[in-house]
Coordinates of all heavy atoms in Angstrom, one line a residue:
M55 N 40.5 79.9 21.1 CA 42.0 79.9 21.2 C 42.5 80.9 20.1 O 42.0 81.1 19.1 CB 42.5 78.5 20.9 CG 44.0 78.4 21.0 SD 44.5 76.8 21.1 CE 46.2 77.1 21.7
D56 N 43.7 81.5 20.5 CA 44.4 82.4 19.5 C 44.7 81.7 18.2 O 45.3 80.6 18.3 CB 45.6 82.9 20.2 CG 46.4 83.9 19.3 OD1 45.9 84.4 18.4 OD2 47.6 84.1 19.7
N57 N 44.3 82.3 17.1 CA 44.6 81.6 15.8 C 46.0 82.1 15.3 O 46.2 81.8 14.1 CB 43.5 82.0 14.8 CG 42.2 81.2 15.2 OD1 42.3 80.1 15.7 ND2 41.1 81.8 14.8
G58 N 46.8 82.7 16.1 CA 48.1 83.1 15.6 C 49.0 81.9 15.4 O 48.7 80.8 15.7
K59 N 50.2 82.2 15.0 CA 51.2 81.1 14.8 C 51.6 80.5 16.1 O 51.9 81.2 17.0 CB 52.4 81.7 14.1 CG 52.3 82.0 12.6 CD 53.6 82.4 12.0 CE 53.4 82.6 10.5 NZ 54.7 82.9 9.9
I60 N 51.6 79.2 16.1 CA 52.1 78.5 17.3 C 53.3 77.7 16.8 O 54.3 77.8 17.5 CB 51.0 77.5 17.8 CG1 49.8 78.3 18.4 CG2 51.6 76.6 18.9 CD1 48.6 77.5 18.8
L61 N 53.1 76.9 15.8 CA 54.3 76.2 15.2 C 54.9 76.9 14.1 O 54.2 77.4 13.2 CB 53.7 74.8 14.7 CG 53.1 73.9 15.7 CD1 52.5 72.7 15.0 CD2 54.1 73.5 16.8
P62 N 56.2 77.0 14.1 CA 56.9 77.7 13.0 C 56.9 76.9 11.7 O 57.0 75.7 11.7 CB 58.3 77.9 13.5 CG 58.5 76.9 14.6 CD 57.1 76.6 15.1
L63 N 56.8 77.7 10.6 CA 56.8 77.0 9.3 C 58.2 76.3 9.0 O 58.2 75.3 8.4 CB 56.6 78.0 8.2 CG 55.2 78.6 8.1 CD1 55.0 79.6 7.0 CD2 54.1 77.5 7.9
A64 N 59.2 76.8 9.5 CA 60.6 76.2 9.4 C 60.6 74.8 10.0 O 61.2 73.9 9.4 CB 61.7 77.0 10.0
A65 N 59.8 74.6 11.1 CA 59.8 73.3 11.7 C 59.0 72.3 10.8 O 59.3 71.1 10.7 CB 59.1 73.4 13.0
M66 N 58.0 72.8 10.1 CA 57.2 72.0 9.2 C 58.1 71.5 8.0 O 58.0 70.4 7.6 CB 56.0 72.7 8.6 CG 55.0 73.3 9.7 SD 54.4 72.0 10.8 CE 55.4 72.3 12.2
E67 N 58.9 72.4 7.5 CA 59.8 72.1 6.4 C 60.8 71.0 6.9 O 61.1 70.0 6.2 CB 60.6 73.3 5.9 CG 61.5 73.0 4.7 CD 62.1 74.2 4.1 OE1 61.9 75.4 4.7 OE2 62.7 74.1 3.0
K68 N 61.4 71.2 8.1 CA 62.3 70.2 8.6 C 61.7 68.9 8.8 O 62.3 67.8 8.4 CB 62.9 70.7 10.0 CG 63.9 71.8 9.9 CD 64.3 72.2 11.3 CE 65.2 73.4 11.2 NZ 65.7 73.9 12.6
L69 N 60.5 68.8 9.3 CA 59.8 67.6 9.5 C 59.5 66.9 8.1 O 59.8 65.7 8.0 CB 58.4 67.9 10.2 CG 57.5 66.7 10.5 CD1 58.2 65.7 11.4 CD2 56.2 67.1 11.1
L70 N 59.0 67.6 7.1 CA 58.8 67.0 5.8 C 60.1 66.6 5.1 O 60.1 65.5 4.5 CB 58.0 68.0 5.0 CG 56.5 68.2 5.4 CD1 55.9 69.4 4.8 CD2 55.7 67.0 5.1
K71 N 61.1 67.3 5.3 CA 62.4 66.9 4.7 C 62.9 65.6 5.4 O 63.5 64.8 4.8 CB 63.4 68.0 4.8 CG 63.1 69.1 3.7 CD 64.3 70.1 3.6 CE 64.0 71.0 2.4 NZ 65.2 71.7 2.0
R72 N 62.7 65.6 6.7 CA 63.1 64.4 7.5 C 62.4 63.1 7.0 O 62.9 62.0 7.0 CB 62.9 64.6 9.0 CG 63.4 63.4 9.8 CD 63.0 63.6 11.3 NE 63.8 64.7 11.8 CZ 63.6 65.1 13.1 NH1 62.7 64.5 13.9 NH2 64.3 66.1 13.5
C73 N 61.2 63.4 6.5 CA 60.4 62.3 5.9 C 60.8 61.9 4.5 O 60.2 61.0 3.9 CB 58.9 62.7 5.9 SG 58.2 62.8 7.6
G74 N 61.7 62.7 3.9 CA 62.2 62.4 2.6 C 61.9 63.3 1.5 O 62.3 63.1 0.3
A75 N 61.2 64.4 1.8 CA 60.9 65.4 0.7 C 62.1 66.2 0.4 O 62.7 66.9 1.3 CB 59.8 66.3 1.2
P76 N 62.6 66.2 -0.9 CA 63.7 67.0 -1.2 C 63.4 68.5 -1.2 O 64.3 69.4 -0.9 CB 64.1 66.6 -2.6 CG 62.9 65.8 -3.1 CD 62.1 65.4 -2.0
R77 N 62.2 68.9 -1.5 CA 61.7 70.3 -1.5 C 60.3 70.3 -1.0 O 59.6 69.4 -1.1 CB 61.7 70.9 -2.9 CG 63.1 70.9 -3.5 CD 63.1 71.4 -5.0 NE 62.6 72.8 -5.0 CZ 62.2 73.4 -6.1 NH1 62.2 72.7 -7.3 NH2 61.7 74.6 -6.1
V78 N 60.0 71.5 -0.3 CA 58.7 71.6 0.3 C 58.1 73.0 -0.1 O 58.8 74.0 0.2 CB 58.8 71.5 1.9 CG1 57.4 71.6 2.5 CG2 59.4 70.2 2.2
S79 N 56.9 73.0 -0.6 CA 56.3 74.3 -1.0 C 55.8 75.0 0.3 O 55.5 74.4 1.3 CB 55.2 74.1 -2.0 OG 54.0 73.5 -1.3
E80 N 55.6 76.3 0.1 CA 55.0 77.1 1.2 C 53.6 76.6 1.5 O 53.2 76.6 2.7 CB 54.9 78.6 0.8 CG 56.3 79.3 0.8 CD 57.0 79.3 2.1 OE1 56.4 79.6 3.1 OE2 58.2 79.0 2.1
D81 N 52.8 76.3 0.5 CA 51.5 75.7 0.8 C 51.5 74.5 1.6 O 50.7 74.2 2.4 CB 50.7 75.5 -0.6 CG 50.3 76.7 -1.3 OD1 50.3 77.8 -0.6 OD2 49.9 76.7 -2.4
A82 N 52.5 73.6 1.3 CA 52.6 72.3 2.0 C 53.0 72.6 3.5 O 52.5 72.0 4.4 CB 53.7 71.5 1.4
K83 N 53.9 73.6 3.7 CA 54.3 73.9 5.1 C 53.0 74.5 5.9 O 52.8 74.1 7.0 CB 55.4 75.0 5.1 CG 56.7 74.5 4.6 CD 57.7 75.6 4.7 CE 58.4 75.9 3.4 NZ 59.4 76.9 3.5
E84 N 52.3 75.3 5.2 CA 51.1 75.9 5.8 C 50.0 74.8 6.1 O 49.4 74.8 7.2 CB 50.4 76.9 4.9 CG 51.2 78.3 4.9 CD 51.0 79.1 6.1 OE1 50.1 78.8 7.0 OE2 51.7 80.1 6.2
A85 N 49.8 73.9 5.2 CA 48.9 72.8 5.4 C 49.3 71.9 6.5 O 48.5 71.5 7.4 CB 48.7 72.0 4.1
M86 N 50.6 71.6 6.6 CA 51.1 70.7 7.7 C 50.9 71.4 9.0 O 50.5 70.8 10.0 CB 52.6 70.4 7.4 CG 53.2 69.5 8.5 SD 52.5 67.8 8.5 CE 53.9 66.9 7.9
K87 N 51.2 72.7 9.1 CA 51.1 73.5 10.3 C 49.6 73.5 10.8 O 49.4 73.2 11.9 CB 51.6 74.9 10.0 CG 51.5 75.8 11.2 CD 52.0 77.2 10.9 CE 51.0 78.2 10.6 NZ 49.9 78.5 11.5
D88 N 48.7 73.7 9.8 CA 47.3 73.8 10.2 C 46.8 72.4 10.7 O 46.1 72.4 11.8 CB 46.4 74.1 9.0 CG 46.6 75.6 8.6 OD1 47.1 76.4 9.4 OD2 46.2 75.9 7.4
V89 N 47.2 71.3 10.1 CA 46.8 70.0 10.5 C 47.4 69.7 11.9 O 46.6 69.2 12.7 CB 47.2 68.9 9.4 CG1 47.1 67.5 10.0 CG2 46.4 69.1 8.2
L90 N 48.6 69.9 12.1 CA 49.3 69.6 13.3 C 48.7 70.4 14.5 O 48.5 69.9 15.6 CB 50.8 69.7 13.2 CG 51.5 68.7 12.4 CD1 53.0 68.9 12.4 CD2 51.2 67.3 12.9
E91 N 48.5 71.7 14.2 CA 47.9 72.6 15.3 C 46.5 72.1 15.6 O 46.2 72.1 16.8 CB 48.0 74.1 14.8 CG 49.3 74.6 14.9 CD 49.4 76.1 14.4 OE1 48.4 76.6 13.9 OE2 50.5 76.7 14.6
N92 N 45.7 71.8 14.6 CA 44.3 71.3 14.9 C 44.4 70.0 15.7 O 43.6 69.8 16.7 CB 43.5 71.2 13.6 CG 43.2 72.5 13.0 OD1 43.0 73.5 13.7 ND2 43.0 72.5 11.7
Y93 N 45.2 69.1 15.3 CA 45.3 67.8 16.0 C 45.9 68.0 17.4 O 45.3 67.4 18.3 CB 46.2 66.9 15.2 CG 46.3 65.5 15.7 CD1 45.1 64.7 15.9 CD2 47.5 64.9 16.0 CE1 45.2 63.4 16.4 CE2 47.6 63.6 16.5 CZ 46.4 62.9 16.7 OH 46.5 61.6 17.2
G94 N 46.9 68.9 17.5 CA 47.4 69.1 18.8 C 46.4 69.8 19.8 O 46.4 69.4 21.0
E95 N 45.6 70.6 19.3 CA 44.5 71.3 20.1 C 43.5 70.2 20.6 O 43.1 70.2 21.7 CB 43.8 72.4 19.3 CG 42.9 73.2 20.2 CD 42.4 74.5 19.5 OE1 43.1 74.9 18.5 OE2 41.4 75.0 19.9
Q96 N 43.1 69.3 19.7 CA 42.2 68.2 20.1 C 42.8 67.4 21.2 O 42.1 67.0 22.1 CB 41.9 67.4 18.8 CG 41.0 68.1 17.8 CD 40.8 67.3 16.5 OE1 41.2 66.1 16.5 NE2 40.3 67.9 15.5
I97 N 44.1 67.0 21.0 CA 44.7 66.2 22.0 C 44.8 67.0 23.3 O 44.5 66.4 24.4 CB 46.1 65.8 21.6 CG1 46.0 64.8 20.4 CG2 46.9 65.1 22.7 CD1 47.3 64.6 19.7
G98 N 45.2 68.2 23.2 CA 45.3 69.1 24.4 C 44.0 69.2 25.2 O 43.9 69.1 26.4
Q99 N 42.9 69.4 24.5 CA 41.6 69.5 25.1 C 41.2 68.2 25.8 O 40.7 68.2 27.0 CB 40.5 69.8 24.1 CG 40.6 71.2 23.6 CD 39.7 71.5 22.4 OE1 39.1 70.6 21.8 NE2 39.6 72.8 22.0
K100 N 41.5 67.0 25.2 CA 41.2 65.7 25.8 C 42.1 65.6 27.1 O 41.6 65.1 28.1 CB 41.5 64.6 24.9 CG 40.4 64.4 23.8 CD 40.7 63.3 22.9 CE 39.8 63.2 21.7 NZ 40.2 62.1 20.7
A101 N 43.3 66.0 27.0 CA 44.3 65.8 28.1 C 43.8 66.7 29.3 O 43.9 66.2 30.4 CB 45.7 66.2 27.7
V102 N 43.4 67.9 29.0 CA 42.9 68.7 30.1 C 41.7 68.1 30.8 O 41.6 68.1 32.0 CB 42.5 70.2 29.5 CG1 41.7 71.0 30.6 CG2 43.8 70.9 29.1
R103 N 40.7 67.5 30.0 CA 39.6 66.9 30.6 C 40.0 65.7 31.4 O 39.5 65.5 32.5 CB 38.6 66.4 29.5 CG 37.8 67.6 28.9 CD 36.6 67.1 28.1 NE 36.9 66.2 27.0 CZ 37.2 66.5 25.8 NH1 37.2 67.8 25.5 NH2 37.5 65.6 24.9
I104 N 41.0 64.9 31.0 CA 41.5 63.8 31.8 C 42.1 64.3 33.1 O 41.8 63.7 34.1 CB 42.5 63.0 30.9 CG1 41.8 62.3 29.8 CG2 43.3 62.0 31.8 CD1 42.8 61.7 28.7
A105 N 42.9 65.3 33.0 CA 43.5 65.9 34.3 C 42.4 66.4 35.2 O 42.5 66.1 36.4 CB 44.5 67.0 33.9
Q106 N 41.5 67.1 34.7 CA 40.4 67.6 35.5 C 39.6 66.4 36.2 O 39.2 66.5 37.3 CB 39.4 68.5 34.7 CG 40.1 69.8 34.4 CD 39.2 70.6 33.4 OE1 38.3 70.1 32.7 NE2 39.5 71.9 33.4
H107 N 39.3 65.4 35.4 CA 38.6 64.2 35.9 C 39.4 63.6 37.0 O 38.8 63.0 37.9 CB 38.4 63.2 34.8 CG 37.6 62.0 35.2 ND1 36.3 62.0 35.5 CD2 38.0 60.7 35.4 CE1 35.9 60.8 35.8 NE2 36.9 60.0 35.8
S108 N 40.7 63.7 37.0 CA 41.6 63.1 38.0 C 41.8 64.1 39.2 O 42.5 63.8 40.1 CB 43.0 62.8 37.4 OG 42.8 61.8 36.4
G109 N 41.1 65.2 39.1 CA 41.1 66.2 40.2 C 42.4 67.0 40.2 O 42.8 67.6 41.2
R110 N 43.0 67.1 39.0 CA 44.3 67.9 38.9 C 44.1 69.1 38.0 O 43.3 69.0 37.1 CB 45.4 67.0 38.3 CG 45.9 66.0 39.3 CD 47.1 65.2 38.7 NE 46.6 64.1 37.8 CZ 46.6 64.2 36.5 NH1 47.2 65.2 35.8 NH2 46.1 63.2 35.7
K111 N 44.9 70.1 38.2 CA 44.9 71.3 37.3 C 46.1 71.1 36.4 O 46.1 71.7 35.3 CB 45.2 72.6 38.1 CG 44.0 73.0 38.9 CD 44.2 74.3 39.6 CE 43.0 74.7 40.4 NZ 43.3 76.0 41.1
T112 N 47.1 70.3 36.8 CA 48.3 70.1 36.0 C 48.1 69.0 35.0 O 47.7 67.9 35.4 CB 49.5 69.8 36.9 OG1 49.7 70.8 37.8 CG2 50.8 69.6 36.1
V113 N 48.4 69.2 33.7 CA 48.3 68.2 32.7 C 49.7 67.5 32.7 O 50.7 68.1 32.6 CB 48.0 68.8 31.3 CG1 48.1 67.8 30.2 CG2 46.7 69.5 31.3
K114 N 49.6 66.2 32.8 CA 50.9 65.4 32.8 C 51.1 64.7 31.5 O 50.1 64.5 30.7 CB 50.8 64.3 33.9 CG 50.7 64.9 35.3 CD 50.7 63.8 36.4 CE 50.7 64.3 37.8 NZ 50.8 63.3 38.7
A115 N 52.3 64.2 31.3 CA 52.6 63.4 30.1 C 51.6 62.2 29.9 O 51.2 61.9 28.8 CB 54.0 62.9 30.1
S116 N 51.3 61.6 31.0 CA 50.4 60.4 30.9 C 49.0 60.8 30.4 O 48.3 60.0 29.8 CB 50.3 59.7 32.3 OG 49.8 60.7 33.3
D117 N 48.6 62.1 30.7 CA 47.3 62.6 30.2 C 47.3 62.7 28.7 O 46.4 62.4 28.0 CB 46.9 63.9 30.9 CG 46.8 63.9 32.4 OD1 46.4 62.8 32.9 OD2 47.1 64.9 33.0
I118 N 48.5 63.2 28.2 CA 48.6 63.4 26.8 C 48.6 62.0 26.1 O 47.9 61.8 25.1 CB 50.0 64.1 26.5 CG1 50.0 65.5 27.1 CG2 50.2 64.2 25.0 CD1 49.1 66.5 26.5
K119 N 49.4 61.1 26.6 CA 49.5 59.8 26.0 C 48.1 59.1 26.0 O 47.7 58.4 25.1 CB 50.5 58.9 26.8 CG 51.9 59.4 26.5 CD 52.9 58.6 27.4 CE 54.3 59.2 27.2 NZ 55.3 58.6 28.0
L120 N 47.3 59.3 27.1 CA 46.0 58.7 27.2 C 45.1 59.3 26.2 O 44.2 58.7 25.6 CB 45.4 58.8 28.6 CG 44.1 58.1 28.9 CD1 44.2 56.6 28.6 CD2 43.7 58.3 30.4
A121 N 45.2 60.6 26.0 CA 44.3 61.4 25.1 C 44.5 60.9 23.7 O 43.6 61.0 22.8 CB 44.6 62.9 25.2
V122 N 45.7 60.5 23.3 CA 46.1 60.1 22.0 C 45.4 58.7 21.7 O 45.1 58.4 20.5 CB 47.6 60.1 21.7 CG1 47.9 59.5 20.4 CG2 48.1 61.5 21.8
K123 N 45.3 57.9 22.7 CA 44.7 56.5 22.5 C 43.3 56.5 22.0 O 42.5 57.4 22.3 CB 44.8 55.7 23.7 CG 46.3 55.3 24.0 CD 46.3 54.4 25.2 CE 47.7 54.0 25.5 NZ 47.9 53.0 26.5

């Protein structure tokens, strides 16, 4: 998979501030981005396998929810 930016750093700052952080370092934004992208990729891969197992090419919301369980 492309290792380029998928999630913007500004979104990481907004998320952490929503959680109560008054300030967020660049390192923290990068770390959050890396963790969320890795976790999202794992969920996506599981969801694709679930859709394929169901005989579909289209990944549905139910596949994502099942992949998280």
